[in-house]
Amino acid sequence: MRNRLPSRSLSSYGASWPVNRRIAIVTGAIAILLALAGIVAVVSGSGNDRQAAGTAAPAPSGSSPSSAETSPKPSSGSGSVPKPPPIADPVAYAKAAAQMLWSYDTRDTSRDQLAGMRAWMTTETKYADWASVAGQVPDPVLWSRMADQDQHATAHVTEGHYPSAFKQALADDPSAITEAYIYVVTVNGTQQIAWKKGGSGAEERAVTLAIQCRPNHDCTLAALAPSVTQ
């Protein structure tokens, strides 16, 4: 086996959105736009497997704990996860969130500290899908294996934009966004990964996020879409 473990980024690990949460996000946040054939596809995805950041890495052999068991418990502290920036622009916030998701360092971060990602989430429970974010975290066994190899990653975000389906929905009904102020943003970038004995590599990354930006408030993360829409 090569030194590199079968893991790529935090956002390569995920499970499908729970059906009830997916319906809540679509209905309460974006399907309010009614002219939403394209947006429903953006948020709900066409399948049950998350494809938010390219092909998911294979999991270790043997049975895997459920997502409820493997996701770190939310905590009030941020751990080594960077605090969310005070940004009021959906695209800029999405780019910052993607960079956070694609960056990690097993050398000085425990898996439990990744619960600090919750600080990036909206506090409006009607729209917050914490499971879609927590589901990005490797299970404890895999995280331990990554740590054994000192695996760490940095990210370079190249661009962020509104998918064409979302822009069309807004053009069809500009006032509909005022219900939840949730914007769909796709971010592209590159992830640099390194591990013991000089091992390294680079991979292209892409993710589609639901970002809430109410007027006169900083943006927050509502959810990660199960598939990327450009």
Side-chain angles (χ1 to χ4, degrees):
M1 183 178 70
R2 295 181 302 170
N3 286 334
R4 183 176 174 185
L5 294 173
S7 97
R8 295 189 175 96
S9 74
L10 297 187
S11 47
S12 291
Y13 303 87
S16 59
W17 275 355
V19 173
N20 60 343
R21 177 58 68 185
R22 181 164 51 196
I23 291 173
I25 292 291
V26 174
T27 302
I30 300 175
I32 294 169
L33 297 179
L34 294 186
L36 268 205
I39 299 303
V40 170
V42 170
V43 178
S44 64
S46 59
N48 292 326
D49 295 330
R50 180 176 303 279
Q51 301 293 329
T55 304
S61 60
S63 61
S64 299
S66 67
S67 59
E69 294 171 331
T70 61
S71 298
K73 295 181 180 180
S75 66
S76 57
S78 61
S80 61
V81 175
K83 294 181 179 179
I87 294 175
D89 174 76
V91 173
Y93 191 86
K95 291 167 69 175
Q99 185 161 15
M100 178 271 294
L101 289 168
W102 295 335
S103 304
Y104 61 89
D105 194 335
T106 64
R107 297 170 301 179
D108 60 12
T109 305
S110 72
R111 182 179 176 277
D112 289 341
Q113 285 176 305
L114 298 178
M117 293 188 297
R118 183 136 199 184
W120 291 70
M121 301 293 296
T122 177
T123 57
E124 297 184 36
T125 56
K126 181 178 180 180
Y127 305 120
D129 185 6
W130 167 243
S132 70
V133 178
Q136 306 304 301
V137 179
D139 66 60
V141 173
L142 184 52
W143 183 261
S144 177
R145 291 176 61 193
M146 292 165 64
D148 289 343
Q149 293 295 321
D150 292 341
Q151 188 163 314
H152 53 286
T154 57
H156 173 66
V157 171
T158 55
E159 66 89 34
H161 65 275
Y162 299 120
S164 57
F166 180 70
K167 290 191 291 185
Q168 184 60 54
L170 286 180
D172 291 342
D173 189 357
S175 65
I177 196 71
T178 60
E179 174 69 24
Y181 286 98
I182 288 182
Y183 302 80
V184 176
V185 182
T186 293
V187 177
N188 291 282
T190 303
Q191 185 185 51
Q192 298 282 341
I193 309 168
W195 55 96
K196 279 183 176 179
K197 298 181 180 179
S200 64
E203 294 181 346
E204 298 300 314
R205 290 289 173 213
V207 64
T208 297
L209 312 93
I211 304 295
Q212 185 177 49
C213 294
R214 291 196 178 277
N216 303 315
H217 288 81
D218 293 333
C219 295
T220 54
L221 176 62
L224 300 184
S227 59
V228 175
T229 298
Q230 297 289 358

